[in-house]
Amino acid sequence: MAQHTRKGAQFQAVTANRLADGVVVYLTAKNGWSESLQHAEVAEGKEAGEALLARGQHFFEPGNLVIDVYLFEVEMTDKGIRASSVRETIRQAGPTVRRDLGKQAELEGVHE
Amino acid sequence: MYRYDEFDHRLVTERVEQFRGQVARRLSGELSEDEFKPLRLMNGVYLQLHAYMLRIAVPYGTLSARQLHKLADIARKYDKGYGHFTTRQNLQLNWPALKDIPALLDELASVEMHCIQTSGNCIRNVTSDHYAGAATDEVEDPRIISEIIRQWSTFHPEFSFLPRKFKIAVCATKNDRAAIKVHDIGIQILKNAAGEIGYEVWVGGGLGRTPIIGKKIGDFIRREDLLAYLEATLRVYNMQGRRDNAYKARIKILVHEIGADEMKKLVEEEFAAVKTRGALQLPDEEVERIRAYFAPPAFEPLSDATPELDAAIAREPDFANWVKSNVQPHRVPGYAIVNVSLKPIGKPPGDATSDQMDAVADIAEKYAFSEIRVAHEQNLCLAHVRKRDLHAVWQALKAADLATANVGLITDQIACPGLDYCNLANARSISVAERISERFADLKLQHEIGRLHINTSGCINACGHHHVGHIGILGVDKKGVEYYQVTLGGAADETAAVGDIVGPAFTEAEIVDAVDTIVKTYLDIRKDGEIFLDTYRRVGVQPFKEKLYAAH
């Protein structure tokens, strides 16, 4: 699997795509999967990140709800959790084009 | 157009039923993702950044109005009301839900369409000239042999698990609009002095990580032998192509490593063996049966002189501009080829909404014998339009926001989905293309610049054909930040060439200015009658390099 975080990342969250429709989801503190990054559980430090990923993968096959589970780097800001990379920002908030529809129309400010 | 026979129908409907079962078992957890992934890919279902993506095959880029209406319906019903036409002449839907795909495939099958062989290491959808049957200097309609290759390659047991994917393109005119020299196999249809049809065969072309222009190994393969020759080529590749490294598995690497002469020798030995067995002679009657499907439509005997059209051109500058760039001569007097640009200023290249697809299908029904083509440059084409109907067609296209007058000009760009959609991408392509098109929106400037192809890819896999753009732009990732590497002097036509890298990559903020600098440099140094590519071939990379990096 491609690497979407980096060694020294301080904060990380776990993401996946929902099996039935492919929608981007995030692992929550209650072991659920939410469409909102703001509901994601954020792990601080390497070990907590690995533990969070293991939890995400534990819910992978048995629950059979999501696919392509991986860790990615986030930042904690005044406005909430933000993805560090362009790629994960686009996954979170939709394409930066066709701003007339979808998440990219609904989530204000993320792509600015 | 080709119509399915009983075998085609059965093949497709059985495949949909099989996939329905596979999806149900995946959703219930009976199949793991590892087990399911190759099965979904065999049916054109990818997982991208935001959702699944479905790639629908449009064989050699030909669609009926009925099929395009159905694609519009499907995009409306199962997606977000738009689709993306690709450089493989296919249509991609960006947002279908896995659970809906079997029903979607049922609907596609109802109009003789499917997603088979749009993924996986098999022979992919055959592509061809979007002017097929209409081009003035065509040897014969390239769709006849394209359809024969399609039938031969569909579910071909020997070639379903090749070392890597395999793409074939066919062209029947001197001017190559199908980019045959950057395909695994490119077929150029020729006529010899005796008036017989034959095929020049090019192998080992391709883009991606290792861009290579194909090598000619067959000078004049006779029609009855073409499938035997293709089988021989595929067999040599299947046996000798590398399976240890996905990046070295395409036929281009094999041809490059053993050399074109050795490849030719191996193919000819195998070809001789296949011919001895005699199993793959293409019977004349079968060729004629397929040819009948592509018989020219009922053209009216018309004069090529059209005073009403000339008057409209003189009267309406917007219409005149559209005719100038989007309309091409037709082989039949009184008819013209209409290119429908899917490159509106500031919008994603190749996207069409469901309403636009319906509009084009309606126009085709009324004015173009119900036939639509997809061009590998991500535009649509109405191949047979009466010249006297051009004004009405333009008005109807205008009403659907489809009358952008820019085909072949700088804003008629190719761009892959890039990081806005694609799981493999490193950087965005569409947004770069949008900003370039906004920068050069002035039509007067576009005509002054003349023919210029800008192709952008969001990663090294080169779906945006950046290597063969006159100006090529490749998105790269440097520590999570998007950068863009520029190549100059590429070409996808009969003078095919891989562009030269101009120097260090530009940031997202710099790239549009860099293109502007390249264009201004060209305008400064070009000689009369030159297009960008001519100037570049005359002066090389240096003058552009100097201007681009002068401030650095």
Side-chain angles (χ1 to χ4, degrees):
Chain A
M1 184 172 299
Q3 189 65 250
H4 298 294
T5 188
R6 61 182 183 93
K7 257 188 184 172
Q10 186 185 2
F11 298 111
Q12 297 176 101
V14 165
T15 183
N17 292 79
R18 203 156 54 203
L19 171 65
D21 57 11
V23 167
V24 174
V25 288
Y26 301 97
L27 182 62
T28 69
K30 292 180 179 170
N31 288 333
W33 294 98
S34 168
E35 288 183 35
S36 171
L37 175 61
Q38 303 314 318
H39 298 156
E41 178 166 0
V42 175
E44 184 169 2
K46 192 181 165 200
E47 282 176 19
E50 282 167 4
L52 190 64
L53 178 62
R55 248 175 56 208
Q57 286 168 337
H58 172 72
F59 284 92
F60 175 22
E61 276 307 327
N64 216 42
L65 293 169
V66 298
I67 50 176
D68 222 5
V69 182
Y70 62 86
L71 266 180
F72 69 105
E73 186 176 4
V74 295
E75 289 157 16
M76 307 303 284
T77 74
D78 297 347
K79 291 179 181 171
I81 307 167
R82 292 201 72 130
S84 298
S85 69
V86 180
R87 174 195 158 93
E88 290 307 323
T89 305
I90 288 172
R91 281 184 80 249
Q92 179 209 346
T96 62
V97 297
R98 287 304 306 260
R99 304 282 275 269
D100 55 320
L101 48 74
K103 281 196 289 195
Q104 62 271 38
E106 291 155 19
L107 283 179
E108 282 179 21
V110 183
H111 283 319
E112 305 314 325
Chain B
M1 275 188 61
Y2 180 72
R3 299 300 308 266
Y4 275 12
D5 62 16
E6 63 194 283
F7 301 107
D8 296 300
H9 273 294
R10 205 175 69 206
L11 216 79
V12 171
T13 50
E14 282 180 0
R15 176 54 91 87
V16 175
E17 278 317 299
Q18 186 187 46
F19 191 54
R20 191 188 308 282
Q22 290 162 345
V23 170
R25 279 181 284 147
R26 176 66 190 108
L27 291 174
S28 72
E30 199 181 321
L31 287 178
S32 71
E33 187 59 20
D34 284 347
E35 289 165 326
F36 180 66
K37 190 175 172 184
L39 303 175
R40 70 166 156 79
L41 286 174
M42 280 181 200
N43 291 283
V45 184
Y46 290 71
L47 179 68
Q48 298 289 25
L49 291 183
H50 311 285
Y52 292 96
M53 180 271 278
L54 184 68
R55 184 176 293 152
I56 300 168
V58 181
Y60 35 87
T62 295
L63 284 167
S64 68
R66 181 167 159 257
Q67 289 174 322
L68 188 55
H69 275 307
K70 178 55 84 178
L71 293 176
D73 282 350
I74 285 173
R76 208 176 268 125
K77 191 167 164 187
Y78 299 100
D79 209 272
K80 293 192 177 184
Y82 69 102
H84 179 75
F85 288 98
T86 75
T87 50
R88 298 277 309 144
Q89 299 178 308
N90 291 325
L91 180 74
Q92 291 182 178
L93 297 178
N94 294 309
W95 309 91
L98 179 63
K99 59 186 169 53
D100 294 336
I101 289 177
L104 192 166
L105 294 178
D106 274 337
E107 296 210 31
L108 274 182
S110 75
V111 292
E112 306 183 343
M113 296 189 80
H114 58 73
C115 304
I116 296 164
Q117 290 177 213
T118 60
S119 176
N121 294 336
C122 54
I123 301 172
R124 300 286 187 90
N125 185 37
V126 179
T127 54
S128 189
D129 182 4
H130 51 289
Y131 292 176
T136 48
D137 61 338
E138 186 173 277
V139 175
E140 77 167 356
D141 192 322
R143 293 172 302 171
I144 301 165
I145 203 66
S146 299
E147 173 57 28
I148 289 169
I149 295 169
R150 186 194 72 82
Q151 295 193 11
W152 163 76
S153 63
T154 299
F155 295 151
H156 195 302
E158 186 179 343
F159 306 134
S160 292
F161 296 95
L162 294 165
R164 200 71 180 84
K165 59 187 167 183
F166 204 92
K167 300 172 181 178
I168 301 176
V170 184
C171 168
T173 57
K174 273 188 199 145
N175 181 209
D176 175 10
R177 280 175 294 266
I180 65 166
K181 291 181 188 168
V182 289
H183 279 76
D184 296 287
I185 288 182
I187 297 171
Q188 176 76 47
I189 308 180
L190 301 171
K191 194 178 267 184
N192 67 12
E196 296 162 317
I197 301 277
Y199 308 96
E200 199 174 80
V201 177
W202 295 71
V203 297
L207 300 173
R209 196 170 294 259
T210 316
I212 297 180
I213 302 300
K215 309 284 187 301
K216 190 169 73 171
I217 61 163
D219 293 316
F220 194 84
I221 307 303
R222 302 181 69 82
R223 169 178 283 146
E224 64 270 24
D225 290 334
L226 182 66
L227 291 185
Y229 196 84
L230 294 180
E231 179 169 298
T233 310
L234 264 298
R235 186 165 296 143
V236 169
Y237 167 56
N238 206 14
M239 296 300 288
Q240 306 217 11
R242 288 179 63 167
R243 291 173 191 268
D244 60 323
N245 182 340
Y247 301 129
K248 294 185 175 176
R250 295 289 287 267
I251 193 173
K252 64 188 174 187
I253 304 295
L254 174 67
V255 175
H256 181 70
E257 283 180 355
I258 66 175
D261 289 343
E262 177 67 9
M263 185 70 191
K264 184 180 165 97
K265 186 175 140 267
L266 292 173
V267 169
E268 280 174 1
E269 283 169 10
E270 185 59 36
F271 178 49
V274 175
K275 273 179 76 170
T276 311
R277 289 195 291 274
L280 247 187
Q281 285 255 319
L282 190 53
D284 277 349
E285 53 274 29
E286 184 57 16
V287 176
E288 292 313 310
R289 189 180 75 84
I290 302 293
R291 181 191 303 282
Y293 287 113
F294 299 100
F299 292 120
E300 294 170 40
L302 295 171
S303 162
D304 217 29
T306 44
E308 287 165 24
L309 172 64
D310 299 341
I313 289 172
R315 195 175 59 236
E316 295 181 61
D318 287 353
F319 176 57
N321 278 328
W322 178 79
V323 171
K324 190 174 169 185
S325 52
N326 292 31
V327 175
Q328 291 294 321
H330 195 282
R331 66 186 176 83
V332 176
Y335 284 84
I337 300 170
V338 168
N339 290 291
V340 180
S341 168
L342 297 181
K343 317 291 171 63
I345 300 299
K347 298 280 173 59
D351 275 14
T353 66
S354 290
D355 290 349
Q356 288 177 320
M357 291 185 227
D358 276 333
V360 174
D362 285 341
I363 295 167
E365 277 167 355
K366 197 164 174 189
Y367 298 109
F369 299 98
S370 295
E371 208 181 299
I372 301 101
R373 312 289 175 74
V374 184
H376 90 266
E377 294 92 348
Q378 301 179 282
N379 290 320
L380 298 178
C381 174
L382 303 168
H384 316 295
V385 177
R386 280 187 301 227
K387 284 167 79 174
R388 69 168 185 240
D389 291 334
L390 284 174
H391 192 263
V393 166
W394 173 69
Q395 284 181 311
L397 288 171
K398 208 162 69 155
D401 286 333
L402 286 168
T404 311
N406 63 351
V407 170
L409 300 175
I410 188 169
T411 58
D412 179 12
Q413 305 167 79
I414 290 176
C416 70
L419 191 56
D420 280 305
Y421 295 96
C422 178
N423 207 4
L424 299 174
N426 293 319
R428 283 171 291 167
S429 314
I430 296 172
S431 58
V432 170
E434 287 181 344
R435 287 192 294 127
I436 291 172
S437 113
E438 280 163 354
R439 175 69 64 93
F440 294 99
D442 177 12
L443 201 53
K444 202 172 151 224
L445 174 63
Q446 292 191 51
H447 281 288
E448 192 188 329
I449 295 165
R451 190 168 193 84
L452 205 169
H453 300 302
I454 301 182
N455 296 357
T456 303
S457 303
C459 80
I460 195 70
N461 293 303
C463 296
H465 292 189
H466 63 277
H467 300 293
V468 290
H470 297 176
I471 299 175
I473 300 173
L474 165 65
V476 292
D477 173 304
K478 289 190 184 179
K479 296 182 179 169
V481 179
E482 295 160 297
Y483 276 79
Y484 295 90
Q485 191 181 78
V486 173
T487 50
L488 298 178
D493 61 8
E494 62 282 8
T495 68
V498 173
D500 306 311
I501 295 173
V502 75
F506 300 93
T507 63
E508 190 213 352
E510 294 166 341
I511 184 64
V512 180
D513 287 336
V515 171
D516 202 38
T517 301
I518 292 164
V519 172
K520 283 190 174 126
T521 307
Y522 146 68
L523 290 176
D524 282 346
I525 61 177
R526 76 166 166 193
K527 289 185 174 171
D528 278 354
E530 282 184 343
I531 63 165
F532 174 83
L533 192 60
D534 301 327
T535 305
Y536 182 79
R537 285 176 173 171
R538 178 170 56 79
V539 303
V541 75
Q542 203 53 36
F544 297 96
K545 211 177 185 121
E546 281 166 16
K547 292 280 184 191
L548 281 168
Y549 301 103
H552 286 244

